[in-house]
Structures are given as structure tokens and as C-alpha cells.
Amino acid sequence: MVAVKLTIQYDGTGFFGLELQPGKRTVRSELAKAFKALYKQPVTYINASRTDAGVHALGQVISYEPPLAIPIGRLPEALNSFLPADIRVIGARVVGRKFHARYDAKAKEYEYLIYNGRIIPPHWRHLAWQVRGELDLTAMRRAAKYLVGRHDFSSFCAAGSDDKDKVRIIHSFVIRNSSFVIWAGQRVPVISVRVRGNGFLYKMVRNLVGTLVEVGLGQREPEDVKAILVARDRKKAGKTAPAHGLCLHRVCYN
Amino acid sequence: MVAVKLTIQYDGTGFFGLELQPGKRTVRSELAKAFKALYKQPVTYINASRTDAGVHALGQVISYEPPLAIPIGRLPEALNSFLPADIRVIGARVVGRKFHARYDAKAKEYEYLIYNGRIIPPHWRHLAWQVRGELDLTAMRRAAKYLVGRHDFSSFCAAGSDDKDKVRIIHSFVIRNSSFVIWAGQRVPVISVRVRGNGFLYKMVRNLVGTLVEVGLGQREPEDVKAILVARDRKKAGKTAPAHGLCLHRVCYN
């Protein structure tokens, strides 16, 4: 018996997050309906990463053992025909039965977008966090350097986490000026914060970004981040950045 | 007394078009509320171009005589504070009292986006028309050449138009491969159709694009466009392309 690994994208705007919540529209509730419609029976699947309400995904990964054999090349379109347009299966691969989307993940990459200006264009309002005061990217980059490496990230973990071990490794933090393009005549400046790590605690990326933005606004010094890490106290770090700026970019496996 | 010229953007997804419709959320109903909140009285304004439900705007222009003097530099933020996030005033200028957003417009530019592939990424679903069959851009460009210039566009005008004179001038038609960028790791190919003219009839751009797509799919020959123009009969041209691929890009004045 084999398993299937699916790569999916979703626009987080219309979902109350990924996991099931009674009476709410979630990514899982929509996937469950599509699986049932396709396989004529419920399917249990594992997702690589849990995302909150409003968070986007370009490369969420899920794994499951299919109850019926459907040619792998036809699987994305077959599932998409039962899914709403704000979730798309973009890839499908046959993997060994032991493959586990969450436990086998070696790294995850997130990108957080910040619109640093006075008037956020309407089409970006669900994709980037608007920060009005001018951000000092050099200060933010200096602060981010203290976060790279193996640390206890308790200060950046929201209450309600199941994780007992709060140690994680951040491989890289890249903060740069980027731009959105949809229509050819419009290039919208945006600040991109990309972070890659072996795993992230509950709301950790949003808490890291919220803290870096406070540094960028001059409300904290870059060096403060060292003391925040040592404190292992959520109250020492900055506010949680809003969900809609965050996108799960990629999950990496061996 | 002077007049004010505002440039506004909107995400057409959540509106039943621009003009007032009883009981429906339209761009005009939201603007009317914001004007009333700001000026403490209703304001009559002129818009450059009427856009249908689902159509986007990056550069819609409106003009009005302000009942109260508010410093022009503060006007965008003042109005935006009363507007929903899917409409933004991005510019304000003082103009002569005789300025008329519609009559004084010398040219308008629209862009229509087509996603020519099997799986449309969720974040683009409200911004581009998905066409699955492969489009022949060379054939589409040849067809578009026949449309450039001064023509009677009756064959491309939807029923319900108030315009008696169906002659318009198309200055240019540019069809090219472009790409969307939001997140740095994702560049989504899209076909951009840009058209500039001295004015457009009701649903004319969407009817032009629908016809060009039929040419691109090989369902019509590029040369057929000549006969369609001559026929002056809406039934001879292709289907109307959906609204959500269309964006009013710019309105040009002297």
C-alpha cells in the first residue's frame, strides 16, 4: 500500500483557519467534503502545518492513504472539481506508506508581507499588513540576526500551544524590499520577511514579525531581542502581527 | 468656486458595479456615504467611466464641487477614513470648476487578464479569467490589428446601451505574456490584454476580449473580425468575457 502527498494552495481570507471548527468554514471542512465526494468515503489525512484564520498557503502539504486507486496524474483535477475555488490542489505524488506530512517535514518557510505606507491599495488588503510609520529595515535585520539559530522560543509562543519543547531552529531570516505586481502599470512596494526553520510554535512567526516591527518603528532596540529570548516569557515580546500578512510558502522534506 | 478631481481604486469583487442599485452594495453607494459623513451633506459627483459588477479599477476618476473647503492634501485620508477598505482614494487635485470627469476624458485604458492554464491559483481567481485551451497570441494580435482605428463598434456593444453613436477610436491593443507576483517564490504567468481608446461602449472591452479569445482558441480566423465590424450586429461577435478579468487602468485628460 502506498500513500499520497498533495501540495495545496489556499486563499486564507474566507476560512476560519485550517482545522475543523464546529459550524465554521475551514480548509479541513472543505477538503473533507471533496475527499468524500471523490472516494465515496471519509479520508483521514495529515497536514504539515496548522495555519490560523486568514493565513494563506502556497505550499501546504497533506498526506493520506487513498482508499481507492486513482491515477496520480488525474488526482489534482479530480479533487479540484469538488473543491471551492479558494483551495486548489496543485501537485500530487505517490510516496511510501510511512510518509507523514508533519513528522517528516525537515523545514518550513513562511513569508510575511508588510505594506509600509499610508494608503493600502484595495487588492492587497487581505495579503499584507499595513504599517504606517516608516520601518527601519536595517534595525529589523540586526534584531532578526539574534533570532537565527537554536533557541528556546517560549517568549514567542502564544498561549494554548500543545508543544512542551519550545526549542526550535531558525535557519534564516531575510527582510527585504519587494514589490507586488498584478496589473502591468502598477508595481506596489512591499516589505517581505521570509523565515525558514525546522518548525514553529503556535503563532510564533506572527509574534516574531510583530516584535521586529516594533524594532523597525524604533519602539525597541535590536539588542532587546536577546533579553526577550532569555526571558522565556510571552509578555516580554511584541504584539502578534495580524494573520492576513502571513503565507506558508513551502514545506521541505528529504 | 473650484472643483475637485479624485482618483480612486477599488476591488470590484464585493460590488454590484459602480452605479446605484436599490438595496445593493455599489461603489457609488459607498462613496455617497463617505461624502455625506465628511461634508455633512450629500455630494453629487461625476465618474469618468461606468464599471460593471466585478470589474476592478486602479484609476477611476470622479469630479465634484465640494460644499465645504477641505485642504486638498488631507482629502484622500479624510475620505478613506469613511470608506470601506475595498475602495481607496489615492489622489486628489484642485481643478477648474468646468472640469467634467466624463466629458473631458480624452482616452481610457483598460487591462484584461487571462490565466491560460489548468489550475488557477486561488489568489488570482477574482483577477483573471481562466481559459483552459492554449491561446495562440499571434492570431489574437493579428485579429486585434483590425480593431485599432476608428470604427463603428455596434457588433461589440451590449444591448441596453444609451449610446446612439457607436463610433469609437481604439488607439492601441497590446497582447503580451506577463506575470503576477505577490510572494517572492511565486511568479504566475498571465496574458495581459491592454486596450486604449477614446471611449468604449457598454461591455465593449469584454466583448472584444471574448472575441479575441475565440480567435486565440482557433474557433475563428483573425480576418473574421473585419466582417464582424462591418455587420454592426452584436450576434456576429464572440461571447462576453467575464467581468472579473477587467480593470480600468487609467483615464487620460489634457
Side-chain angles (χ1 to χ4, degrees):
Chain A
M1 194 59 182
V2 293
V4 167
K5 174 191 174 202
L6 296 181
T7 304
I8 64 172
Q9 298 192 336
Y10 43 87
D11 176 348
T13 311
F15 296 105
F16 285 87
L18 185 121
E19 295 301 348
L20 281 183
Q21 290 187 59
K24 304 246 165 123
R25 184 174 188 263
T26 67
V27 176
R28 191 175 276 274
S29 69
E30 295 297 331
L31 280 168
K33 278 191 262 178
F35 277 131
K36 194 155 183 211
L38 182 64
Y39 290 113
K40 315 290 180 205
Q41 57 188 287
V43 170
T44 306
Y45 73 83
I46 307 291
N47 49 268
S49 181
R50 182 180 168 164
T51 55
D52 290 320
V55 174
H56 309 285
L58 290 185
Q60 175 71 274
V61 173
I62 68 180
S63 59
Y64 65 100
E65 290 183 40
L68 291 172
I70 291 172
I72 198 79
R74 285 173 46 200
L75 204 48
E77 289 224 53
L79 279 166
N80 285 335
S81 71
F82 295 113
L83 283 167
D86 49 355
I87 309 180
R88 291 288 92 177
V89 176
I90 60 157
R93 276 184 58 193
V94 173
V95 287
R97 191 183 157 191
K98 287 186 179 166
F99 178 82
H100 190 288
R102 187 159 65 249
Y103 298 152
D104 289 349
K106 298 300 176 205
K108 289 171 191 165
E109 290 178 27
Y110 284 89
E111 186 168 9
Y112 195 99
L113 299 178
I114 299 166
Y115 182 80
N116 191 23
R118 288 175 66 183
I119 304 173
I120 185 165
H123 294 89
W124 317 121
R125 71 193 190 284
H126 296 309
L127 301 170
W129 177 26
Q130 181 178 21
V131 175
R132 284 159 195 269
E134 198 178 340
L135 291 171
D136 177 346
L137 297 199
T138 307
M140 289 171 72
R141 288 187 191 114
R142 272 174 52 210
K145 273 191 186 164
Y146 297 114
L147 297 163
V148 174
R150 184 185 194 89
H151 300 285
D152 182 317
F153 285 99
S154 298
S155 294
F156 296 95
C157 179
S161 162
D162 300 331
D163 295 299
K164 278 173 193 158
D165 180 9
K166 303 286 203 294
V167 175
R168 294 290 183 280
I169 301 167
I170 291 185
H171 304 130
S172 63
F173 233 123
V174 179
I175 302 169
R176 63 187 192 85
N177 287 301
S178 180
S179 51
F180 279 142
V181 179
I182 292 185
W183 295 281
Q186 199 197 34
R187 186 170 280 275
V188 176
V190 70
I191 293 166
S192 156
V193 179
R194 290 187 77 162
V195 58
R196 179 189 159 106
N198 72 338
F200 294 90
L201 301 165
Y202 187 43
K203 297 195 181 172
M204 177 170 151
V205 180
R206 292 163 57 191
N207 292 335
L208 291 167
V209 171
T211 305
L212 292 177
V213 162
E214 292 179 8
V215 171
L217 291 171
Q219 296 165 357
R220 292 171 184 265
E221 294 303 312
E223 293 68 29
D224 293 353
V225 168
K226 284 192 282 189
I228 294 171
L229 278 172
V230 169
R232 298 182 197 180
D233 176 359
R234 175 70 192 92
K235 290 191 285 291
K236 300 292 184 192
K239 293 201 191 85
T240 308
H244 67 273
L246 184 61
C247 179
L248 171 61
H249 220 286
R250 195 175 325 198
V251 184
C252 307
Y253 298 90
N254 271 344
Chain B
M1 196 58 184
V2 294
V4 167
K5 175 191 173 201
L6 296 181
T7 304
I8 64 172
Q9 298 192 335
Y10 43 86
D11 177 349
T13 311
F15 296 105
F16 285 88
L18 185 122
E19 295 301 348
L20 281 185
Q21 290 187 59
K24 303 245 165 123
R25 183 174 189 264
T26 68
V27 176
R28 191 175 277 272
S29 70
E30 295 296 331
L31 281 168
K33 278 190 263 179
F35 277 130
K36 192 155 184 210
L38 182 66
Y39 290 112
K40 316 288 178 206
Q41 58 188 285
V43 170
T44 305
Y45 72 83
I46 306 290
N47 50 268
S49 182
R50 182 180 169 165
T51 55
D52 291 320
V55 174
H56 310 284
L58 290 186
Q60 175 71 273
V61 173
I62 69 181
S63 59
Y64 65 99
E65 289 183 42
L68 293 171
I70 292 173
I72 197 77
R74 284 173 46 201
L75 203 48
E77 290 223 52
L79 279 165
N80 286 335
S81 71
F82 295 114
L83 283 168
D86 49 355
I87 309 180
R88 292 290 91 176
V89 176
I90 60 157
R93 276 185 58 194
V94 173
V95 287
R97 193 184 156 192
K98 287 187 180 166
F99 177 81
H100 190 289
R102 189 159 64 247
Y103 299 152
D104 290 349
K106 297 300 175 205
K108 290 171 191 166
E109 291 178 26
Y110 284 90
E111 186 168 8
Y112 195 101
L113 299 179
I114 298 167
Y115 181 80
N116 190 23
R118 287 175 66 183
I119 304 174
I120 186 165
H123 294 88
W124 317 120
R125 71 193 189 284
H126 296 309
L127 301 170
W129 177 26
Q130 181 178 21
V131 175
R132 283 160 195 268
E134 199 178 339
L135 290 171
D136 177 346
L137 297 199
T138 307
M140 289 170 72
R141 288 185 192 115
R142 273 173 53 209
K145 274 192 185 163
Y146 297 114
L147 297 163
V148 174
R150 184 187 194 88
H151 300 285
D152 182 317
F153 284 99
S154 297
S155 293
F156 296 96
C157 178
S161 161
D162 299 332
D163 295 299
K164 276 170 194 162
D165 179 8
K166 304 286 203 293
V167 174
R168 295 290 183 280
I169 300 167
I170 292 185
H171 304 129
S172 63
F173 233 123
V174 178
I175 301 169
R176 63 186 191 85
N177 287 302
S178 180
S179 50
F180 280 143
V181 179
I182 292 185
W183 295 282
Q186 198 197 36
R187 186 170 279 276
V188 176
V190 71
I191 294 166
S192 157
V193 179
R194 290 188 77 162
V195 57
R196 178 190 160 104
N198 72 337
F200 294 91
L201 302 165
Y202 187 44
K203 296 195 182 172
M204 178 170 149
V205 180
R206 291 164 57 193
N207 291 335
L208 291 168
V209 171
T211 305
L212 291 177
V213 162
E214 293 180 8
V215 170
L217 292 171
Q219 296 165 358
R220 293 170 185 265
E221 294 303 312
E223 292 70 27
D224 293 354
V225 168
K226 285 192 282 189
I228 295 170
L229 279 171
V230 169
R232 299 184 196 179
D233 175 0
R234 176 69 192 93
K235 291 190 287 291
K236 299 291 184 193
K239 294 201 191 84
T240 308
H244 67 275
L246 185 61
C247 179
L248 171 60
H249 220 285
R250 196 175 326 199
V251 184
C252 307
Y253 299 91
N254 271 346

